[in-house]
Amino acid sequence: MSQTTHPRSTHDRSEASLAAAGGLVVFAAVMLIIGGILDVFRGIMAIANDDIFVSTPRYVFRFDLTGWGWLHLILGIVAILVGVALFKAPLWARIIGIAIAALLIITNFLSLPYYPFWSIIAIALYAFIIWALCVVRPDEMTG
């Protein structure tokens, strides 16, 4: 008794890959918007010199807390704008999204001593965003 197998059509596979690609970009867009909003709040807290931040006198990368606040505020606003643009999934938004997420990883690394627990969480969040934007091939985004 022989069993005939029918391979899935190329059309079915391309629809599945397009859905997965779209899902990853939507994931990255939502997470970039959420991360951007949180960085805006973090920037406002730092500009207001909130007592929630830790003071470390001997850290190699010591900066003014207000300067960090402005940096987080500006990058957070840009992250929100790029996250919104990602819903249409243009290539330029994916490239800028990767760049902004990378800058925010560096910013959060350098601000580890000021707010260590959140900095580690934010680094992981932005790493997932970079992953989601990098694994989608441009040919999967076009229908």
Side-chain angles (χ1 to χ4, degrees):
M1 199 164 141
S2 69
Q3 183 178 6
T4 306
T5 59
H6 299 286
R8 294 183 79 183
S9 72
T10 308
H11 181 68
D12 289 343
R13 277 186 260 151
S14 66
E15 280 183 12
S17 108
L18 184 60
L24 284 173
V25 173
V26 169
F27 166 80
V30 170
M31 295 308 286
L32 197 56
I33 291 170
I34 291 170
I37 290 169
L38 293 174
D39 269 314
V40 166
F41 289 149
R42 185 176 179 185
I44 292 170
M45 287 185 328
I47 292 168
N49 288 321
D50 200 335
D51 292 335
I52 196 164
F53 293 98
V54 178
S55 176
T56 53
R58 297 202 184 268
Y59 186 54
V60 175
F61 303 108
R62 191 172 37 175
F63 295 97
D64 179 40
L65 190 57
T66 305
W68 278 119
W70 281 107
L71 188 61
H72 280 285
L73 181 67
I74 292 167
L75 287 175
I77 291 170
V78 173
I80 293 168
L81 295 174
V82 172
V84 170
L86 277 170
F87 283 112
K88 292 194 184 243
L91 182 60
W92 67 265
R94 287 178 47 214
I95 292 168
I96 294 174
I98 292 166
I100 289 298
L103 285 173
L104 283 164
I105 284 176
I106 294 167
T107 304
N108 280 290
F109 174 76
L110 293 175
S111 64
L112 266 169
Y114 301 106
Y115 205 13
F117 185 68
W118 174 246
S119 293
I120 292 168
I121 292 171
I123 288 168
L125 171 78
Y126 291 120
F128 277 118
I129 291 169
I130 291 172
W131 170 80
L133 292 175
C134 286
V135 298
V136 179
R137 294 189 312 252
D139 60 327
E140 290 177 340
M141 292 308 301
T142 59

